[in-house]
Amino acid sequence: MERSRRPRPRPRQPPNLSSSSLSSTHSWSQKFTTNPTKNVKSLDTDLDAPDRFKSGRDAQAEGDVVDSHSLPTLVGTCPFMCPAGERAQRERLRDLAVFERLNGNPGKTSPGLAVKKFCRTISIRDVQLSDVRPLPVLEDTLDYLLSLLDSTEYSFEVVHDFIFDRTRSIRQDLSMQNIINEKAIYMYEKMVQFHVTSCHKLQSCRDPNISSVHYLNMEQLTKALASLFNLYNANRNYDSIYENEAEFRSFYVLLHLGPNSQPMGESLSLWFRHVPVPIINSKEMCFARKILRFFRMGNYVRFLSIAASEASYLQYCIIEPYVSEVRGLALSCINNGGYKLHPYPLSHLSKLLMMKESDLVSFCNACGLETYIDEVGNKFLPTKQTTFCCPKGGFQSYGFTGLEFER
């Protein structure tokens, strides 16, 4: 019997975010690796100890979907985004983020500004119902947080740091109350979406500590994804899948780009055994599998063309760091494989790599290669140069011409 898709509205795009072949083929990607999920620990063994709730039985990890009978029933009664007690304490300690300060005063806030912080350790025996936000309050809090992405007053690093912490607190409250219904799915999809789009936005940040921020963002992305997949499974009817499920499950495959990437502690071959057939056959999953295959094969022509024609915005946000890797591979192959007396026209190379000529010149220079202009103004790349190298600080993100979606 053919499975039907459950009619649900697509999650709202966060404001202003639009815009194996095998062992023999892994060597090239090892040379060009910028794998953001490298060394991320297995979700099954380390779910960030602060997210565990101790109740005299096995601790519950943040976002883990468990049987509803395995934990005491807890329904929060806090009507505000931040409990009154925490709000008063943080006013006394002057522990208020810039978004929480009333008229810029670091020691004064209001119920409409303060948002509950993530708590590193919680004992469920000490939890007061008045400190836990019920589902409707959590939904409003999440919408408020995502609205801050419109902020132009502060850099994205500042905005991301605030939303990053407060969405962890939302997941904590959801987990403490064991909320696993469809509204929880909707919220988790939006939180995963935030972390995915942050992958793209953090690429353009110039903060020297941005690599650690990116690592932490990827870590929380994998945790939120694992919880979302558990929610899909917990709410599944035999004959239905969720409208956005195929795209969100494709993220798991895309996070395996790179030779050492196993972000959730489970191999793809095992993971695919538990994925419903309609999702495996979906266009979103087919795209992810093709991208992974061509990346591992080193087929830069197919990788770039398919990325441009088939990627959704969220999928592109995940694969963006690898686009520069693949371009570096292509440049290396053309430089090493070209005939010395026949320099390569940049006009053709820019079409092949799907980037502007001006960006291509900068990209070549960053890789240690020189270009020149002939007497009629055409630009060329002399081949057989021995100075090719990967940029020490990693590849810069350049524009991608030919993308089908609105960036």
Side-chain angles (χ1 to χ4, degrees), residues 37 51 102 130-131 144 149 173 222 225 271 288 321 370 384 401:
T37 59
D51 297 334
L102 186 62
S130 58
D131 292 335
Y144 167 73
L149 291 167
D173 277 11
T222 56
L225 263 182
W271 183 77
E370 296 180 354
K384 299 297 184 184
T401 60

Side-chain angles (χ1 to χ4, degrees), residues 21 115 150 174 187 195 208 222 264 299 309 336 358 386:
S21 58
V115 183
D150 282 330
L174 285 170
M187 293 179 67
H195 288 295
T222 56
M264 295 185 186
N299 189 336
S309 61
N336 293 328
S358 57
T386 60

Side-chain angles (χ1 to χ4, degrees), residues 16-74:
N16 283 349
L17 286 178
S18 36
S19 321
S20 98
S21 58
L22 6 132
S23 57
S24 61
T25 59
H26 281 313
S27 58
W28 75 268
S29 58
Q30 291 171 349
K31 183 175 181 181
F32 295 95
T33 185
T34 58
N35 175 20
T37 59
K38 185 177 181 181
N39 295 329
V40 174
K41 295 183 180 179
S42 164
L43 288 172
D44 295 329
T45 58
D46 181 11
L47 269 169
D48 196 2
D51 297 334
R52 300 184 182 273
F53 309 109
K54 304 168 185 176
S55 61
R57 61 187 75 186
D58 292 341
Q60 178 190 9
E62 170 200 358
D64 270 1
V65 177
V66 297
D67 180 71
S68 59
H69 300 292
S70 64
L71 289 173
T73 301
L74 189 156

Side-chain angles (χ1 to χ4, degrees), residues 6 15 39 75 130 185 241 290 310 320 361 366 371-372 393 395 399:
R6 185 171 299 186
N39 295 329
V75 179
S130 58
I185 290 178
I241 60 174
K290 286 186 289 186
E310 298 184 21
E320 184 180 22
V361 171
T371 60
Y372 74 89
F395 289 101

Side-chain angles (χ1 to χ4, degrees), residues 162-176:
F162 182 69
I163 299 177
F164 177 92
D165 178 84
R166 297 329 192 247
T167 52
R168 287 187 75 185
S169 177
I170 288 176
R171 286 156 53 195
Q172 197 173 55
D173 277 11
L174 285 170
S175 185
M176 290 177 67

